[in-house]
Structures are given as structure tokens and as C-alpha cells.
Amino acid sequence: MKTEWYKNAIIYQIYPFSFMDSDNDGWGDIEGIISRLDYVKDLGVTAIWFSPLYESPDYDYGYDISDYKAIDKKFGTMADFDRLLEECHKRGLKVIMDMVINHTSIEHPWFKSAVSSKDSPYRDYYIIHEGKRENGKLLPPSNWDSSFTGSAWERIGDSDDFYLHLFCREQADLNWENPEVRRQIIDILNFWLDKGVDGFRFDVFNMFSKVYPIQDDTSKAPVTKGGQFFIDGPRMHEFLRQLNAESLSLYDTYTVGESYLPSKEAALEYVRKDNHELDSIFNFRHLEADNIKGLKFFWKPFNLLQFKSGLFEPQSDTYGIGWNTLVLENHDCPRAVSRFGIDTKHYRYEAATMLATITYMGFGIPFIYMGQEIGMVNCPFDSIDEMKDPVSHFVYDLMKSYHMPAKLAFSFIRYGARDHARVPMAWDDSVNGGFNKGKAPWQKVNPFCSEINVEKDLRTDRSIYRYFQSLLSLKKNNSCAVYGKTVEYDHDNRRIVAYSREHEGKKLFIVGNFSKKNTTYVLPGEFKDASILLNNYEKLDRDASTLKLRPYQAVVLEV
Ligand code: GLC
């Protein structure tokens, strides 16, 4: 039943709010997506992951679902979705749905019923506990933190009960201990699979299982207090296997889990093929190389060695065990060319293509976030009021509450904000970057879109999109690039990223100059005479086995 089509897949992520607005109401929509499918297909991708399209009150922009079997009105109707699915399949594109099942919206009928009465049949769908009384004061049931700042517990009205929310207070955690909840979830998965979707991206999946009884976290947890009781919880593997047995394995699916700070051991178990849990999980460790402990707002000088360890270790860990993923951007990250100490003003083309080459030629499935293929940059937000993401506001307010000056607090937020990736896609230099016909979009338009847009990129000699086409075609059609084992070279080199991929006697060598200085690199002996398969410059300055790499130059060689 399983064809494992995902192994040489290339996946493009669309954030529907901001891709294309066909009816000029300021929100992206399904009709808009359909009108741009040829553009996506021509890039060379083989599947699309859609960030949530379901009905949602949008406290967390789609990641708070109030009806899992309905399309949100601003995006269109279920008939529109059916057509989108058909249009994707017609073009040979697989469709991956985002599944946000750690929590539901507080506007989901289950939750509304659960909090309406202690006797509600849905009460046990959520994690509802009585608070603690200390010196006559009512406190939450435990000291756990929400990942989005503040307590993870919210009081229900003026009762003594609280519900758990590991994210916004409008996102109530489901109680996966309740078999009825799991049955409902399986029913939802099968609803979409019966429609013909090809797989799922599971949102923050490694928080489904919690440790009971609920207790305080007395450890010195550096990031989120309580994490030891809700990350990689005790029943995680069992729950995933149930989803597999009763849903995923019955169709030709692909699954990718978004894990939140997983332990290395758990990460491997989730993707171990014989475990029948997930096909892959996201690895983001390399994206922590310019911030402190993965806290994206707290930047630090970029550390290339950390980037390389984060990128390569999961490739060797998963090789032969499961499948890996390769990510540079998504809707939760700033734009890649605007970080990692890159001189994007002078070398945007070189850096965008170098980053893609060194990342996507590795072992795993490339994930491309909309706009990355034209090298979109961060949006120069002028104030916190221009930012829509609640997390930007929560963290800003938190910093202010510690008396951090507003300007400094904003500079941190602006470094790591999720808002950068969520501004409208830049199609051309017309009004609103061609996202629509002039109605103010829900989110600020990046002023750079007059310079950086699809139409202009495709017109230049140095088109990032065209380079991506060559890169992706090489990646998916070269068996070594798909199945080869990755071996890193010269890890301690602070400018160069270098590795080989080897499969059935064939070898590739990938080398990139992760700096704006000309850099010399001596090829390992066996690659001395290797021929060039791909180069993001016109020429490669080469003297026997010595490469003289130009700023952000990257090449793929073959022996
Ligand atoms: C994931 C999503 C993010 C969302 C969070 C809570 O991390 O990618 O956008 O805010 O989960 O659902």
C-alpha cells in the first residue's frame, strides 16, 4: 500500500493567508492558490503542504481550529478545496494538510460544551483540573509555562477549575488519554484521507502525551517550565502507532511531525521505520545557530559550526533508520537570507542559492517556504503595531514588564518575528506586490516587493527561481542525492560547508562558501577531478584540487 513516494519528494509550503488574494478582500484564498499552481509546479516541487485552511477564529492564524471538517470562509468553500485538490493532482502534486491536534480552538463546539458544565460529555476532552489553594489564594494546578509566555493554565470563569493551554489561551490542549478523543481524531484524519489528500504535517505532535498526575516542575528548566511533563510524554509512541494502525497505514500517506524540543532518543524513535509512527520529523537545530537556545528573538552572532552540527547530525542519525527533512524557512521563522550574518544587501542571489544548495543536497526531503525561491527578505517593520502575530506581542509585553526599553525590546522582536514570513507573497511590482488588486492586505506588505518579486526574478539573468529549478531537478533525479549517505568534511572550517553523498559507487561532493570573503578550499583527493554538476556562479576558479570560492559560492561536484 505504501509506495514511499516521499523519499524523493520536494515539498513547497503555502501559508494561505498570504499567498494570493483572488477576490481582493485582503486575505489570501484557495482560488488565488489555484491561479498560481503552475508557478509552483514549474519550480520542480512534487507536493504542497498547506498551512491550516480549516475554520478558525484566528487567534493564532489558523493554528486554532474550530471545525476540522470545514474550510474557513475567508479561504473559500469545501467545493473550492475539492477543486484545489483536483488541480494539484492533475499536475502531479501531492497534497499535505496541516493537522493541529494537540489543541483545538476555544471556539470549537467540544470546548464550548466542556466548559459549559461539569457534566458535559466533552468535559474530559480537555485537560481540566482544579486549581490549588495556597493561603486562601487560588493558583493554577501546576507551575507549567505556555510556550507563548505566561501560565499554561487558564481559569474557567469564576470556578476553581483551569484548562491547560500550552500555546495561546485560545488554544485548549486536548486530553489524548481519553480514547474518545483519539477516535475523533482518527475520524478527522480519515475524513481528509478519504477525500484524497496524501499526508499530514502534525503540529507540535510531541506534546500529545502528558505526565499524570499533574505536578509542579521543580527543575531548573531553562526554557519552558513543565517541559519534562509534556514533551515526548510517556504514551507518545503508543498514540502515534494507533493513528497509524487505524488511519495512516490504510492509505498511501506521508507524515511529517513538527516536534518541539524533542530529545535525541525520542526523535529517532518517532521516525524509526519499524516503529510505524511517523515517516519523518522536522529538524530545526541548525536554525538555532543565530539565537539563544532556540528562542528566536534572542539573537547571538551566527555560529557556523553549530549550524553544521545541527544540519548534519540528524542526517547521520536517521540514515538507515528513517527519513530526514531539510528546512531553511517556514511560517514561524524569519527569512533565511536575512539571518545567519549574511550580507543580503550585496549577495542576496549568491546567499539564497548557496543556502539552498548546501541544505537541500543533504539527506532528506527539501521543504521550501513560499517566497524563499525568489530570495524574499525580512520585512522592515516600523513598530510592534504593524505585527499581527500574537507571539510578537506577548514577548514584547513580557520584555517591557521587565523594564526593557521599548526600542530595545522591539529590536529583539524584529530580529526573530514570525511576521516576516507571513507578509503577502511578492508577485510583481504592482499594488500590494500583485497579491491582490489594492485592498489593504491583512498584514503589512514588504516594501522590498517592488525590487524583489516573482516577475522581476524571472526576468533577470540571475534568477533564484531558475537556480532552484536546476537544484531541485538534480536533487530529485539523482539517486545519490536522494539515497546517499552524507559524510561531512572539515567541520572545524569556519567559512566552508563541505560534505559528500555516496550511493552504490556514485559520489557527489557539495561545497559552499558561507562567507562574503573569497575563500580557498582544497578538495579531498578523490574529488580532485570531479566534474561540476551545479554552480551558483558562472565559473569555478579551480587550480588542480584547490577551489577559489567567491562570496557565498556553492558547487555540486560528481565523480
Ligand atoms: C506550531 C506552528 C505554529 C503555531 C504553534 C501552535 O509551532 O507551526 O505556527 O503557533 O504550533 O499551534
Side-chain angles (χ1 to χ4, degrees):
M1 189 85 195
K2 288 256 189 184
T3 62
E4 300 191 330
W5 56 266
Y6 59 85
K7 288 191 169 169
N8 66 347
I10 314 264
I11 301 179
Y12 188 84
Q13 181 190 353
I14 289 183
Y15 188 69
F17 286 87
S18 302
F19 194 59
M20 183 72 203
D21 173 13
S22 72
D23 57 0
N24 198 38
D25 66 352
W27 304 95
D29 49 49
I30 291 178
E31 198 55 50
I33 296 172
I34 294 175
S35 72
R36 297 290 185 175
L37 280 181
D38 288 333
Y39 166 84
V40 177
K41 167 76 185 166
D42 289 348
L43 183 60
V45 309
T46 62
I48 305 181
W49 149 28
F50 294 102
S51 276
L53 288 159
Y54 320 96
E55 189 184 283
S56 164
D58 293 335
Y59 289 102
D60 190 22
Y61 294 97
Y63 285 86
D64 47 322
I65 299 172
S66 51
D67 185 345
Y68 289 84
K69 294 185 184 172
I71 295 295
D72 197 281
K73 279 202 282 299
K74 66 185 167 302
F75 297 136
T77 62
M78 190 57 91
D80 294 332
F81 175 82
D82 291 340
R83 207 156 55 78
L84 172 64
L85 186 61
E86 196 186 314
E87 292 293 332
C88 286
H89 284 167
K90 219 156 71 186
R91 290 168 175 79
L93 294 166
K94 305 267 189 197
V95 169
I96 294 164
M97 300 296 275
D98 216 317
M99 250 316 142
V100 189
I101 46 184
N102 175 68
H103 41 262
T104 73
S105 160
I106 57 166
E107 294 187 19
H108 194 290
W110 299 339
F111 186 82
K112 285 190 180 161
S113 166
V115 292
S116 69
S117 142
K118 286 199 185 225
D119 304 323
S120 158
Y122 294 100
R123 188 87 173 172
D124 196 38
Y125 270 45
Y126 294 89
I127 303 176
I128 296 179
H129 282 263
E130 204 177 342
K132 291 186 291 195
R133 288 255 167 219
E134 272 177 27
N135 304 324
K137 214 174 145 204
L138 183 66
L139 298 176
S142 74
N143 64 351
W144 300 358
D145 290 329
S146 146
S147 312
F148 286 175
T149 74
S151 169
W153 296 96
E154 182 74 10
R155 190 169 171 190
I156 302 179
D158 55 7
S159 73
D160 283 3
D161 287 343
F162 291 73
Y163 68 88
L164 183 73
H165 61 90
L166 294 177
F167 294 89
C168 289
R169 70 164 65 87
E170 293 83 3
Q171 295 165 300
D173 277 55
L174 281 165
N175 174 18
W176 277 69
E177 301 291 313
N178 181 346
E180 192 53 25
V181 166
R182 302 201 299 277
R183 197 195 54 74
Q184 293 271 18
I185 286 169
I186 286 163
D187 176 61
I188 292 165
L189 300 185
N190 289 340
F191 170 84
W192 290 100
L193 290 168
D194 285 337
K195 270 193 175 291
V197 310
D198 304 285
F200 299 106
R201 174 256 187 202
F202 289 115
D203 192 68
V204 292
F205 80 94
N206 65 330
M207 292 178 161
F208 294 168
S209 161
K210 277 85 175 171
V211 173
Y212 293 92
I214 300 289
Q215 56 200 287
D216 273 344
D217 186 349
T218 53
S219 73
K220 291 205 167 22
V223 186
T224 312
K225 242 201 179 19
Q228 60 166 317
F229 301 117
F230 54 74
I231 295 174
D232 302 327
R235 297 185 69 189
M236 265 319 311
H237 301 295
E238 178 195 336
F239 291 160
L240 291 174
R241 282 177 207 158
Q242 185 183 356
L243 298 191
N244 240 286
E246 296 175 33
S247 168
L248 305 169
S249 67
L250 311 176
Y251 304 77
D252 190 15
T253 53
Y254 162 66
T255 53
V256 55
E258 186 218 21
S259 49
Y260 184 83
L261 304 173
S263 75
K264 206 168 154 177
E265 300 69 47
L268 268 189
E269 293 312 307
Y270 296 135
V271 301
R272 188 182 293 281
K273 204 160 178 288
D274 307 334
N275 280 358
H276 305 289
E277 296 182 17
L278 297 171
D279 295 313
S280 60
I281 63 171
F282 285 132
N283 158 49
F284 300 136
R285 274 169 48 207
H286 55 307
L287 304 181
E288 296 172 8
D290 64 348
N291 57 38
I292 298 168
K293 293 197 184 331
L295 298 171
K296 38 177 80 93
F297 301 109
F298 297 95
W299 67 273
K300 67 171 189 201
F302 176 59
N303 181 337
L304 180 60
L305 302 195
Q306 186 186 346
F307 181 92
K308 293 199 274 186
S309 307
L311 185 65
F312 294 123
E313 278 170 17
Q315 295 185 36
S316 32
D317 291 347
T318 37
Y319 195 75
I321 288 179
W323 216 252
N324 190 44
T325 57
L326 302 164
V327 180
L328 279 165
E329 292 184 13
N330 61 35
H331 65 293
D332 293 333
C333 297
R335 292 293 186 174
V337 284
S338 299
R339 55 192 295 202
F340 310 134
I342 285 170
D343 178 355
T344 187
K345 188 153 175 242
H346 299 104
Y347 298 108
R348 192 175 58 87
Y349 170 85
E350 292 80 355
T353 51
M354 178 278 293
L355 279 170
T357 308
I358 60 163
T359 305
Y360 297 147
M361 287 306 291
F363 166 57
I365 303 166
F367 278 78
I368 297 154
Y369 181 69
M370 62 184 217
Q372 190 191 330
E373 74 283 6
I374 56 160
M376 279 182 77
V377 296
N378 277 355
C379 178
F381 290 102
D382 292 321
S383 83
I384 188 79
D385 303 328
E386 288 182 341
M387 294 182 159
K388 293 280 188 265
D389 180 15
V391 179
S392 298
H393 290 264
F394 295 152
V395 179
Y396 180 77
D397 291 345
L398 184 71
M399 287 172 169
K400 293 268 302 295
S401 75
Y402 282 99
H403 307 293
M404 187 185 276
K407 217 168 148 192
L408 182 62
F410 182 59
S411 73
F412 281 116
I413 302 299
R414 198 154 87 150
Y415 186 77
R418 311 198 294 182
D419 304 76
H420 290 298
R422 300 178 177 192
V423 302
M425 175 79 182
W427 295 102
D428 54 43
D429 62 6
S430 66
V431 61
N432 297 333
F435 168 68
N436 64 12
K437 296 262 178 295
K439 168 91 192 273
W442 73 284
Q443 166 73 295
K444 181 181 166 113
V445 174
N446 192 332
F448 287 117
C449 74
S450 51
E451 278 164 56
I452 303 170
N453 60 60
V454 169
E455 198 251 341
K456 188 161 175 202
D457 182 87
L458 290 173
R459 243 189 306 120
T460 63
D461 294 340
R462 298 185 337 138
S463 157
I464 299 174
Y465 181 96
R466 292 237 159 74
Y467 183 88
F468 268 60
Q469 284 180 317
S470 311
L471 172 68
L472 300 180
S473 155
L474 171 61
K475 167 74 187 191
K476 65 185 180 202
N477 296 315
N478 181 305
S479 66
C480 203
V482 176
Y483 299 100
K485 186 177 164 72
T486 302
V487 177
E488 193 195 356
Y489 284 70
D490 301 293
H491 177 77
D492 294 331
N493 190 317
R494 292 182 178 273
R495 288 199 204 158
I496 294 289
V497 178
Y499 60 96
S500 66
R501 308 273 327 265
E502 183 174 352
H503 180 67
E504 294 177 346
K506 279 217 237 148
K507 278 192 185 179
L508 299 178
F509 195 78
I510 296 92
V511 54
N513 178 10
F514 209 126
S515 94
K516 62 171 172 179
K517 302 212 170 92
N518 291 327
T519 304
T520 303
Y521 182 71
V522 181
L523 283 172
E526 60 177 315
F527 297 102
K528 187 157 73 53
D529 302 315
S531 50
I532 303 174
L533 287 186
L534 193 67
N535 182 359
N536 65 347
Y537 275 73
E538 250 171 55
K539 288 197 193 108
L540 175 64
D541 197 350
R542 184 175 183 176
D543 174 8
S545 58
T546 303
L547 307 184
K548 289 178 195 145
L549 296 169
R550 311 259 294 129
Y552 303 107
Q553 184 165 18
V555 290
V556 180
L557 306 172
E558 181 185 46
V559 282

